[in-house]
Amino acid sequence: MQLPAFDGAIFDLDGTLLDSMYVWKQIDIDFLAEQNLAVPDDYLHAVNGMSMQQAAAYTRRRFALSLSEDDLVQSWTRMAKREYHTRVPLKPGVAAYVHALHEKGVRCAIATASETDLYEPALARTGILDCFDAHVLLREVARGKRFPDIYLLAARRLGLPPGRCVVFEDIYDGICGARDGGFFTCAVEDEASASMQAQIQAAAHAYIHSFCELLQT
């Protein structure tokens, strides 16, 4: 796989760099079970691309929960922290690819719905935290990943125009939002997005099964 020349790389985190979607799937099951609820088939797709606060608001409305949004976020974060801090791995080829970009002087950013106290220990543990020049959290912008806001803010923090950046994403909304912002988009295969694979491949400029493909060029 050969990507066009670029000066900046903007990476989603969960499902793109980190093989972490199993954590959120289990949290959905465990949390809703505590409320005597099952996980609806469309729930994960509905909250993909939302910040934790937005997902909490959506979950609270959908299931008419008495818990506050802050309570939901704190509960989810508490459930996820142990996995992120001790177990969640990088996806294949990520470490070598990110280090290669860093060594070539490509400026790299994280654009994620997760919070820093959750993911930074995972990136530090796996040895890639220092490769990133900027971090942007979805709660810093007004709209979700179906819109380009988070990617545009990441590009500004890197000091680069969208046309000189590649966005790596695993979800359909993220690919569409980045594409609409003028970015070259590279979709990354992830099991959690398998039901949308055809739409993701059609929307993205490039599609990879793993970052190992980019190390072969």
Side-chain angles (χ1 to χ4, degrees), residues 92-110:
V94 165
Y97 185 64
V98 170
H99 279 290
L101 293 182
H102 183 63
E103 289 166 9
K104 288 194 297 186
V106 174
R107 295 181 63 77
C108 297
I110 295 288

Side-chain angles (χ1 to χ4, degrees), residues 164-191:
R164 295 302 302 168
C165 298
V166 173
V167 170
F168 296 91
E169 265 284 2
D170 68 302
I171 64 170
Y172 178 74
D173 280 358
I175 290 294
C176 293
R179 184 195 61 199
D180 291 348
F183 296 89
F184 185 91
T185 56
C186 182
V188 181
E189 184 179 68
D190 190 74
E191 183 181 354

